[in-house]
Amino acid sequence: MTDVTQIIPQAPYAFGFTEDHELARKEARRYLNEHVTREHVRAQYEDPRGFDKELYRQTLELGWLGLSVPEQYGGAGLDALHLLLLWEELGRALYPSPLFASALAVEALLRGRHEAQRGQYLPEILSGNVIATFAYAEPGGAWGSDQVSCRAEPKEGSWVLSGTKVNVPFAASAGLLIAPAIDHKGELGLFLLELPAAGIELTPEVSVDPTRRSARVELDRVKVPHGARIQGDGRAIFQRVCSLGYALLAAEMVGAAEATMLMTRDYANDRQQFGRAIGSFQAVKHPIVNAMVQIELARSLVLGAASAMSSTEAIDRPEIAEHATRMAKAFAEEALSFTVQRGVQLHGGFGFTWDCDVQLYFKRMLWTRATLGDSTEHRQALAKVLFG
């Protein structure tokens, strides 16, 4: 049986939080409050792309996509705590953008061993000239490095890819797709596909959260150069990409949950019934306090995940970051689910209407819960580690 202290490292004092982290968080919140209002989010529901391209470019100029990318590739080289604090603010604002898709693709490029690929693609992605995405899912609910059925066969010095990818985030807007596929030796490889290309067919999907667009991608004997394969252990890189995804989604869910909790509290303080604010009733205020407690517990796990991701131990033992980020996503998902459900209920009949902003967060909860595994899947994975 595994020693629990070996699953994740001890977090540093205050999770390593400094005045610089607080300053960065305040600036991100100020910017998002000014530019990503709920009216802006609602407007993206009707936008053909699902996001404001100019606003996306502005956020890249602020360095948000390259926050933890090494400076030599145009990033800021900051730690994971800076990154996850930013994503908490993005979740609070429900920022509609392909930032998540590009972040996964950037992580895959960084974990590869091909310096020329990083030099070619990272500056273009970080500047916004190219939107990148990562195809982590396939039909039938399959996702992750162990459930790839897409094939890659060598032919005349090239690779020929065939298969289907689903739920590919912002694929319709992307100029670069990273597609995992099994080669003729049974090994998992990650392949760079520039879009559009012959043999690649994109079909937009209906997303429960219209600010998180996705597409089904059919690969029909797509021919790519031999050098389009990311060098390195494809399975290990895929797992590192997933770990980052768990962490980003967990941080985003904490921010979304807190925004919903505060929105519900304000409504409860304003709405009058029997001559009193409904927030004075035990049946109303206790669920809101329970939401607050869950959010704070989830936030602690997200901060712990940031510490694990930045720890020196994680360099040689990437499973350390994977365990911590799985814990964070599992708990943050439940905190957000509890909070938005109580938010809808405590807003009464208004909570079920289009005009109530809680529905925006409810839809985001449904999307994040289904993306990169739900809490049950992550608990099952952690149980295998704990019990062997």
Side-chain angles (χ1 to χ4, degrees):
M1 191 172 291
T2 304
D3 182 351
V4 71
T5 59
Q6 298 299 312
I7 295 178
I8 55 173
Q10 185 175 4
Y13 175 74
F15 298 105
F17 200 88
T18 66
E19 290 184 4
D20 287 345
H21 291 107
E22 179 60 20
L23 181 61
R25 179 166 68 175
K26 283 183 177 178
E27 283 301 305
R29 186 175 299 186
R30 181 193 60 76
Y31 181 87
L32 290 166
N33 284 341
E34 291 178 3
H35 296 87
V36 188
T37 61
R38 301 222 174 95
E39 290 72 23
H40 173 83
V41 175
R42 287 172 178 271
Q44 304 318 305
Y45 275 39
E46 307 300 328
D47 187 276
R49 286 188 299 263
F51 69 101
D52 183 326
K53 199 169 183 179
E54 180 55 32
L55 185 62
Y56 178 64
R57 186 179 293 275
Q58 290 178 19
T59 57
L60 297 194
E61 290 175 355
L62 292 172
W64 287 1
L65 181 56
L67 209 59
S68 58
V69 174
E71 294 180 55
Q72 65 196 86
Y73 303 117
L78 298 176
D79 60 20
L81 185 53
H82 275 100
L83 181 67
L84 298 192
L85 289 173
L86 168 65
W87 276 82
E88 183 180 326
E89 297 307 319
L90 294 172
R92 186 188 307 278
L94 293 177
Y95 176 45
S97 80
L99 208 57
F100 178 71
S102 287
L104 299 185
V106 167
E107 179 72 2
L109 285 165
L110 285 172
R111 298 298 175 186
R113 294 202 304 262
H114 205 306
E115 188 63 33
Q117 288 174 343
R118 289 195 286 264
Q120 178 181 355
Y121 291 110
L122 285 179
E124 293 294 302
I125 298 171
L126 297 184
S127 66
N129 290 334
V130 172
I131 292 173
T133 188
F134 189 94
Y136 50 78
E138 295 193 358
W143 69 275
S145 61
D146 295 330
Q147 300 188 47
V148 176
S149 61
C150 183
R151 303 295 302 183
E153 300 293 339
K155 185 177 182 180
E156 299 173 352
S158 302
W159 290 103
V160 178
L161 274 68
S162 298
T164 303
K165 301 292 183 181
V166 298
N167 303 330
V168 183
F170 286 96
S173 300
L176 179 68
L177 167 69
I178 299 181
I182 302 295
D183 69 12
H184 59 297
K185 297 180 180 176
E187 296 176 351
L188 179 64
L190 305 180
F191 296 86
L192 296 159
L193 281 66
E194 295 185 1
L195 303 176
I200 301 178
E201 182 179 347
L202 304 181
T203 305
E205 298 171 326
V206 177
S207 174
V208 67
D209 180 356
T211 64
R212 288 290 164 89
R213 303 293 172 91
S214 63
R216 181 186 183 95
V217 180
E218 299 284 354
L219 305 175
D220 183 11
R221 299 186 295 277
V222 180
K223 190 175 182 180
V224 296
H226 186 76
R229 181 171 182 168
I230 295 178
Q231 297 301 306
D233 184 339
R235 196 171 301 278
I237 296 172
F238 197 161
Q239 289 170 347
R240 295 292 287 261
V241 170
C242 287
S243 290
L244 177 70
Y246 308 151
L248 299 183
L249 293 177
E252 190 180 60
M253 286 190 281
V254 168
E258 187 163 80
T260 306
M261 184 270 290
L262 293 175
M263 191 190 317
T264 307
R265 179 206 60 182
D266 292 345
Y267 179 80
N269 281 335
D270 183 60
R271 180 82 166 85
Q272 298 286 315
Q273 192 63 267
F274 307 115
R276 298 165 58 186
I278 63 171
S280 64
F281 299 124
Q282 180 175 305
V284 173
K285 61 185 175 185
H286 281 201
I288 297 175
V289 171
N290 288 338
M292 181 181 71
V293 171
Q294 287 211 31
I295 292 165
E296 289 305 317
L297 292 172
R299 177 176 285 125
S300 294
L301 285 170
V302 169
L303 297 177
S307 297
M309 293 164 69
S310 298
S311 70
T312 54
E313 295 174 75
I315 296 174
D316 297 324
R317 295 179 58 206
E319 68 273 15
I320 285 178
E322 180 185 343
H323 300 156
T325 54
R326 281 185 183 276
M327 291 182 198
K329 185 174 189 296
F331 201 90
E333 172 194 315
E334 293 171 354
L336 177 58
S337 179
F338 176 85
T339 304
V340 295
Q341 289 183 52
R342 296 304 178 278
V344 169
Q345 293 166 2
L346 297 176
H347 276 78
F350 178 55
F352 291 87
T353 67
W354 168 259
D355 292 334
C356 181
D357 288 335
V358 174
Q359 55 97 2
L360 304 175
Y361 290 88
F362 196 101
K363 290 168 182 168
R364 179 60 62 87
M365 178 273 291
L366 293 174
W367 187 89
T368 50
R369 186 169 66 181
T371 301
L372 293 179
D374 62 13
S375 64
T376 300
E377 290 179 275
H378 291 297
R379 280 188 162 82
Q380 287 175 340
L382 291 167
K384 289 181 182 176
V385 175
L386 188 60
F387 293 95

